[in-house]
Amino acid sequence: MIRPIVKDVLFLGQKSEPATKQDLPVGQDLMDTLRANQDRCVGMAANMIGVRKKVIIVNMGIMNVVMYNPVIVKKDTPFETEEGCLSLTGVRRTTRYQNIEVEYLDGSWKKQRRKYSGWTAQIIQHECDHLEGIII
């Protein structure tokens, strides 16, 4: 289901709760909502659609990947950048890392550990910040 985008910074500033198997439908809602906004958005966190659970979706070029309870376990090569957000107006400066390694549960609830770099790594970092109530 396509959900409205939350713009309330008080809600977005709250930490998300761990996702459970009962939250699998949130991944589909993120998929639908990202598709509906693909002309202006490359990733989303569940709190952006009103759900305070640790679920994100990231556009990886040819496909969108949903991650449940993602944790960045390694990062290296910091750089300064500017980012926008569908939930916020304007852009903000932030520090990101060129290379990251992420552990998460996939849609089959299987643990994954993957390395990402560049633009995909930046998107994942932005969405993981959302889960911690960090507004960038």
Side-chain angles (χ1 to χ4, degrees):
M1 170 176 33
I2 298 170
R3 301 259 199 127
I5 303 302
V6 172
K7 296 181 183 286
D8 178 354
V9 293
L10 294 177
F11 181 82
L12 295 169
Q14 298 175 42
K15 285 189 174 189
S16 295
E17 300 291 324
T20 66
K21 282 188 177 182
Q22 286 71 39
D23 297 311
L24 285 170
V26 174
Q28 185 60 54
D29 288 351
L30 281 169
M31 188 78 69
D32 296 342
T33 306
L34 182 61
R35 275 195 204 112
N37 291 280
Q38 67 186 359
D39 61 325
R40 58 195 183 121
C41 186
V42 292
M44 301 181 112
N47 63 353
M48 294 174 66
I49 60 168
V51 180
R52 281 191 27 238
K53 291 292 188 155
K54 291 187 176 190
V55 187
I56 67 171
I57 187 168
V58 178
N59 178 279
M60 296 194 185
I62 59 170
M63 61 189 281
N64 296 321
V65 175
V66 176
M67 299 178 178
Y68 297 87
N69 300 319
V71 176
I72 298 170
V73 295
K74 289 184 183 178
K75 57 188 176 184
D76 67 60
T77 317
F79 66 97
E80 296 296 315
T81 189
E82 288 186 343
E83 295 177 351
C85 181
L86 196 57
S87 289
L88 306 168
T89 303
V91 295
R92 285 146 301 283
R93 292 207 53 77
T94 188
T95 300
R96 294 293 182 216
Y97 295 85
Q98 182 66 28
N99 305 298
I100 63 171
E101 193 165 342
V102 183
E103 286 184 351
Y104 64 94
L105 297 169
D106 65 17
S108 299
W109 219 248
K110 292 182 181 166
K111 191 172 189 176
Q112 303 292 329
R113 187 175 180 126
R114 300 272 190 265
K115 294 179 181 181
Y116 299 98
S117 62
W119 180 238
T120 302
Q122 185 176 344
I123 300 165
I124 293 168
Q125 291 168 82
H126 179 99
E127 303 314 334
C128 284
D129 276 356
H130 270 292
L131 301 181
E132 296 303 316
I134 299 168
I135 301 171
I136 298 291

